[in-house]
Amino acid sequence: MKQDTDNKRKKYTGAEIFVKCLEAEGVKLVFGYPGGAVLHIYDELHKQDKVSHILVRHEQGAVHAAEGYAKSSNIPGVVLVTSGPGATNAITGIADAYMDSVPIVVFTGQVRTALIGNDAFQEVDTVGITRPCVKHNFMITNVEDMADTIKKAFYVATTGRPGPVVVDIPKDITEKLCEFNYPENISMRSYNPDIKVSDESVDMAVKKILSSKKPVIYAGGGVINSNASENLIQLAKYLNFPVTNTLMGLGCYPGTDEQFIQMLGMHGSYEANMAMHDCDLLIAVGARFDDRITGRLDKFSPDATIVHIDIDPSSISKNIKAHIPIIGDVKNVLEKLSEKIIRKKEKPQNIDKWWNQINEWRKKDSFKYSQGDKIIKPQYVVDRLYELTKGDAYITSDVGQHQMWTAQLYKFNKPRRWINSGGLGTMGFGLPSAMGTQFANPGSLVCCVTGEASIQMCIQELSTCLQYSLPIKIINLNNRYMGMVRQWQEFFYEGRYAMSYMDALPDFVKLAESYGHIGHKIEKPSDVDGAIIDAINQKDRLVFLDFITDQNENVFPMIASGEAHNKMILS
Amino acid sequence: MRHIISVLLENESGSLSRVAGLFSARSFNIESLSVAPSEDLSASRMTIVTSGDDAVIEQIIKQLDKLVDVIKVSEITSNEHIEREIAFVKINDKDINEKTMSEFSKNEFLKLHKTKKNEIIIECVDSPKKINDFIKSVKKIAVKIVRSGAVGINSN
């Protein structure tokens, strides 16, 4: 007790308070990169052992690592970078986290308050430059506000629809003295994330659910953010409704379940997109009707009543008018629906006819490919990775064809196993997010499925992986092209492959070796299994598998931009 | 459709740019925007005149509400309300005849100020619609027009 009073009276520097706040918040790991404006903070981090710091090789990597950490564990990711270029390098990751609703807190150093606005060395208006891509941001201008602001930052980042929060800290604030008192709770009159679910809307939805003959559940990342996977499975099973997932939602409903009709959208399955088009009831759960999902808006689910469950009111009726909006945390809403349907033993319509139709569509087997004995098909590698990891690995990906094939063919049975950049589509996301995922899940198998173009965007993080002994398996689908760009050029630009050929590639095996890792090049289909098994068996080492794959393979099905769901190109 | 949206927001640095940035980032129209202290010293009230169909206005309100600094958003044009704006119109006195001058001085909504350079500043406080009409009538002779943008309050 006495010590407590002493603590309260004692004065600490802003940098000491910063570290104490992280400790009080339960932060175990910070991803970052030092620089002039944050040197006081780094000095304090150095003096203690409660909060570990992971040194990345580029600030973009720090933010993606924090995203992977947060997405795979549901614990907010924390980043610390310096002012100016430290902050601007972090922007891509911050924007990525904003688009995909990832709870991260990014601390940026800032020049001294007296210098702000003077174009000082390494000065940039971080609050201004990050404003459009954060959930909220703060600049701390008094050391007395440090503890409250940090508490608020974590509160805003993790509640409601999660998102990135930036806290900008001028250097002089980290040397000023003040007492330390970390608030236990925080409330903000202008921000109230607790939404009461409207019974009236739920009742309307129940009525439609019980009378529907052609229903579809379209579930997205909100189900994962809300930890509502079990609730969704329970309800869908009871109703016997087909379930499709968005790219961000994969894993929220078991990929191997018979009611799962695969991913929907631009590269979704034939059955998912046809069902979306023909359904009479569309239940959107934690999904936001992104343009890659909807395609042509005026031809979207033309005959359906649309029930939209989302925590963010601004997502509702933004792109597609919702007939029955239900605003609230997905978990709370699904619990209410279950109460009114399962607990009351309500009987849904017999939808055998609808299932017959869906099963007919399924026969198209729209993700099929054929593996010969000469050239490795990229899909085959993903397929084998799925089989050999028993579908139980954490998979991160970069952006492009390899991402779509992984989404199509790796069947995720659990939430938080599929870590990718959906909204912003950030090449370079895969490797650093795998690092964060590995830190959050030590001892688990983490694989990064990537391409030879994407991997080079954050390749420097191979060094971080060595420093912290991260045994990530990199599955490089190397087709010597920016595959998705090449595919669009083939389809829509008469095969003029402007700048999409990856010339002058490094020898990835030697590159991995020079960073202290293991590298293998695999050119024959018959060597795929052995390479993957060997890599998995290297429990303590990072293994870079460079698969030389078919250059001409395209992702199918494909709905061209702005087309309707029933206008798929199948091959 | 024209709408007036009243926003009560935390009086913090950067709050204005959050709102202004939201409008430009999402391609919403701003006809006018005014911001000033409110009854609460720690909050400012912003009045935004905008236009758009119902779906756009719904999005504007929801997006404003989503800003962490925003305490309350209300659309005031759909209910009974009062709106006012102030405008200054500067004219050269040689461009105006005595008859018009005397009409102006009798109009209770207008106030006339003379400058040292033989100019007249007409101060006009009225509804934006009336101000539009007035400005139309003097547009040909106006040297400078300064408008505050509308503010409004519910009156039901």
Side-chain angles (χ1 to χ4, degrees):
Chain A
M1 188 65 197
K2 187 176 175 299
Q3 198 189 351
D4 201 40
T5 344
D6 286 350
N7 267 343
K8 275 185 185 159
R9 281 189 197 146
K10 192 179 163 195
K11 292 200 169 182
Y12 299 91
T13 66
E16 286 175 299
I17 289 173
F18 175 85
V19 175
K20 281 178 168 295
C21 287
L22 294 191
E23 195 190 322
E25 196 57 47
V27 174
K28 300 270 182 294
L29 272 189
V30 175
F31 299 93
Y33 205 104
V38 284
L39 281 178
H40 293 316
I41 291 176
Y42 271 84
D43 196 42
E44 289 309 321
L45 281 171
H46 188 76
K47 291 177 191 164
Q48 54 81 57
D49 58 4
K50 300 261 172 33
V51 182
S52 310
H53 179 276
I54 307 304
L55 177 70
V56 295
R57 298 302 185 267
H58 185 288
E59 289 87 349
Q60 182 186 351
V63 188
H64 292 328
E67 287 184 274
Y69 184 84
K71 282 188 182 196
S72 65
S73 70
N74 195 28
I75 300 167
V78 181
V79 174
L80 172 62
V81 297
T82 193
S83 63
T88 56
N89 279 346
I91 300 277
T92 300
I94 295 168
D96 190 273
Y98 184 59
M99 289 291 264
D100 287 347
S101 309
V102 190
I104 58 167
V105 178
V106 179
F107 296 98
T108 54
Q110 182 55 276
V111 301
R112 292 172 180 279
T113 45
L115 290 174
I116 289 176
N118 282 356
D119 303 321
F121 176 66
Q122 292 196 327
E123 180 186 1
V124 74
D125 174 10
T126 303
V127 166
I129 224 169
T130 57
R131 185 184 40 71
C133 59
V134 292
K135 183 169 174 187
H136 197 56
N137 56 19
F138 301 92
M139 182 193 274
I140 301 178
T141 48
N142 288 302
V143 69
E144 289 81 9
D145 297 337
M146 174 92 74
D148 262 24
T149 306
I150 292 176
K151 182 80 189 173
K152 277 183 193 170
F154 280 96
Y155 173 60
V156 171
T158 53
T159 52
R161 179 177 177 178
V165 174
V166 167
V167 182
D168 201 27
I169 309 175
K171 187 169 188 180
D172 54 322
I173 303 299
T174 62
E175 59 200 21
K176 290 212 169 108
L177 292 168
C178 151
E179 288 169 10
F180 172 64
N181 189 4
Y182 199 64
E184 262 178 45
N185 292 302
I186 201 100
S187 77
M188 296 163 76
R189 62 172 171 177
S190 62
Y191 175 73
N192 180 14
D194 294 325
I195 300 167
K196 199 183 167 302
V197 179
S198 146
D199 276 313
E200 201 185 333
S201 314
V202 173
D203 288 341
M204 281 165 72
V206 169
K207 221 170 132 191
K208 285 287 176 190
I209 288 169
L210 296 174
S211 63
S212 166
K213 295 208 161 97
K214 296 194 284 179
V216 174
I217 297 174
Y218 144 54
V223 178
I224 295 172
N225 275 336
S226 165
N227 297 311
S229 192
E230 288 302 321
N231 308 70
L232 177 71
I233 296 168
Q234 192 193 21
L235 188 65
K237 282 278 154 199
Y238 180 85
L239 293 167
N240 187 33
F241 281 9
V243 181
T244 179
N245 276 170
T246 66
L247 180 67
M248 299 311 295
L250 291 172
C252 81
Y253 191 85
T256 51
D257 187 89
E258 56 181 10
Q259 277 168 243
F260 188 58
I261 57 170
Q262 314 295 326
M263 181 173 76
L264 79 162
M266 184 173 271
H267 294 296
S269 74
Y270 186 71
E271 57 269 30
N273 286 333
M274 290 304 285
M276 289 292 284
H277 185 269
D278 284 13
C279 66
D280 67 3
L281 174 69
L282 178 60
I283 309 168
V285 191
R288 64 184 175 88
F289 296 86
D290 169 89
D291 58 280
R292 288 302 197 254
I293 294 296
T294 60
R296 189 168 156 182
L297 289 174
D298 62 340
K299 300 276 179 177
F300 180 81
S301 304
D303 305 320
T305 299
I306 293 170
V307 176
H308 190 178
I309 303 167
D310 206 290
I311 197 163
D312 177 2
S314 74
S315 281
I316 288 173
S317 297
K318 183 174 70 181
N319 301 328
I320 295 287
K321 173 95 187 143
H323 302 103
I324 305 174
I326 310 179
I327 299 166
D329 186 87
V330 164
K331 195 180 178 87
N332 294 344
V333 177
L334 290 177
E335 273 169 4
K336 284 226 172 204
L337 284 170
S338 294
E339 235 168 70
K340 291 177 193 250
I341 295 172
I342 304 177
R343 218 163 296 163
K344 290 199 174 162
K345 300 199 167 71
E346 296 281 6
K347 285 271 171 287
Q349 300 291 309
N350 181 322
I351 57 165
D352 288 352
K353 258 190 173 170
W354 179 230
W355 271 117
N356 289 342
Q357 172 66 73
I358 290 171
N359 289 330
E360 273 308 305
W361 289 327
R362 271 180 168 160
K363 287 182 187 158
K364 289 257 185 201
D365 191 11
S366 57
F367 296 158
K368 67 172 176 281
Y369 65 93
S370 62
Q371 175 62 63
D373 54 10
K374 289 216 165 61
I375 308 169
I376 300 173
K377 292 282 182 186
Q379 299 97 317
Y380 177 68
V381 179
V382 177
D383 232 354
R384 295 314 299 156
L385 182 69
Y386 168 69
E387 292 294 339
L388 295 167
T389 57
K390 302 179 183 70
D392 205 29
Y394 287 85
I395 305 287
T396 75
S397 95
D398 268 298
V399 170
Q401 287 184 319
H402 66 268
Q403 177 190 27
M404 291 299 114
W405 285 317
T406 311
Q408 290 178 340
L409 297 168
Y410 199 100
K411 299 176 192 72
F412 294 94
N413 278 332
K414 292 176 191 163
R416 302 193 183 279
R417 291 294 168 114
W418 168 234
I419 316 293
N420 85 132
S421 165
L424 196 67
T426 309
M427 290 169 71
F429 178 86
L431 177 56
S433 67
M435 299 184 331
T437 302
Q438 188 76 77
F439 274 115
N441 303 276
S444 298
L445 178 60
V446 178
C447 304
C448 165
V449 182
T450 183
E452 82 292 338
S454 282
I455 191 69
Q456 291 189 83
M457 286 209 182
C458 275
I459 195 80
Q460 74 285 345
E461 299 306 330
L462 282 175
S463 180
T464 311
C465 293
L466 182 70
Q467 183 171 350
Y468 299 98
S469 307
L470 301 175
I472 295 163
K473 313 305 171 212
I474 296 174
I475 312 294
N476 189 37
L477 303 181
N478 184 346
N479 64 354
R480 285 81 72 213
Y481 271 109
M482 294 163 207
M484 193 57 92
V485 173
R486 193 204 55 75
Q487 177 169 345
W488 281 59
Q489 288 170 335
E490 179 187 329
F491 289 3
F492 310 118
Y493 298 89
E494 298 166 331
R496 290 184 299 279
Y497 298 124
M499 291 293 137
S500 56
Y501 182 66
M502 292 303 288
D503 216 339
L505 281 173
D507 178 334
F508 285 110
V509 173
K510 281 188 186 156
L511 183 129
E513 286 170 357
S514 81
Y515 273 109
H517 303 303
I518 301 170
H520 288 302
K521 185 173 179 175
I522 303 99
E523 294 179 276
K524 284 191 289 192
S526 55
D527 292 341
V528 170
D529 273 28
I532 296 174
I533 292 166
D534 282 353
I536 294 171
N537 287 338
Q538 290 286 350
K539 301 267 184 237
D540 307 322
R541 299 286 299 277
L542 183 147
V543 183
F544 193 117
L545 298 179
D546 187 24
F547 292 96
I548 307 303
T549 60
D550 190 342
Q551 293 197 286
N552 301 313
E553 201 57 32
N554 289 321
V555 182
F556 293 114
M558 178 169 185
I559 303 173
S561 196
E563 278 291 356
H565 274 163
N566 57 353
K567 303 277 181 210
M568 272 168 280
I569 312 168
L570 287 173
S571 60
Chain B
M1 260 288 270
R2 176 179 176 275
H3 292 261
I4 298 179
I5 294 168
S6 183
V7 184
L8 189 68
L9 75 170
E10 294 290 356
N11 186 10
E12 276 169 20
S13 75
S15 295
L16 172 63
S17 72
R18 289 183 209 280
V19 174
L22 169 69
F23 274 72
S24 64
R26 296 190 183 267
S27 298
F28 298 143
N29 291 319
I30 297 186
E31 199 175 289
S32 73
L33 183 156
S34 71
V35 54
S38 69
E39 66 280 0
D40 177 344
L41 285 177
S42 61
S44 302
R45 181 166 280 106
M46 190 180 273
T47 312
I48 303 164
V49 181
T50 182
S51 58
D53 60 26
D54 290 352
V56 170
I57 299 300
E58 184 183 328
Q59 264 301 305
I60 292 175
I61 293 169
K62 284 172 167 177
Q63 294 290 351
L64 283 167
D65 228 353
K66 193 169 153 179
L67 293 175
V68 170
D69 278 343
V70 167
I71 301 163
K72 195 173 187 317
V73 183
S74 33
E75 198 285 326
I76 61 174
T77 24
S78 50
N79 287 306
E80 266 180 63
H81 66 284
I82 301 166
E83 50 180 290
R84 288 292 179 269
E85 184 175 352
I86 182 164
F88 293 115
V89 178
K90 192 186 263 184
I91 52 181
N92 284 320
D93 62 1
K94 63 175 171 37
D95 291 334
I96 194 161
N97 58 37
E98 274 193 24
K99 186 172 161 257
T100 320
M101 247 335 238
S102 88
E103 270 174 31
F104 282 172
S105 44
K106 278 178 204 153
N107 186 332
E108 58 178 312
F109 295 107
L110 300 181
K111 256 190 201 170
L112 304 179
H113 311 266
K114 287 199 172 173
T115 74
K116 288 170 188 163
K117 294 186 207 155
N118 297 328
E119 291 163 326
I120 296 165
I121 295 167
I122 309 165
E123 175 190 323
C124 174
V125 180
D126 212 319
S127 68
K129 193 180 172 304
K130 291 257 182 69
I131 288 192
N132 284 342
D133 292 344
F134 171 71
I135 284 177
K136 226 175 177 179
S137 73
V138 292
K139 191 144 195 199
K140 275 187 187 153
I141 50 172
V143 179
K144 193 176 204 176
I145 298 170
V146 179
R147 299 179 67 159
S148 64
V151 291
I153 191 166
N154 272 324
S155 58
N156 53 340

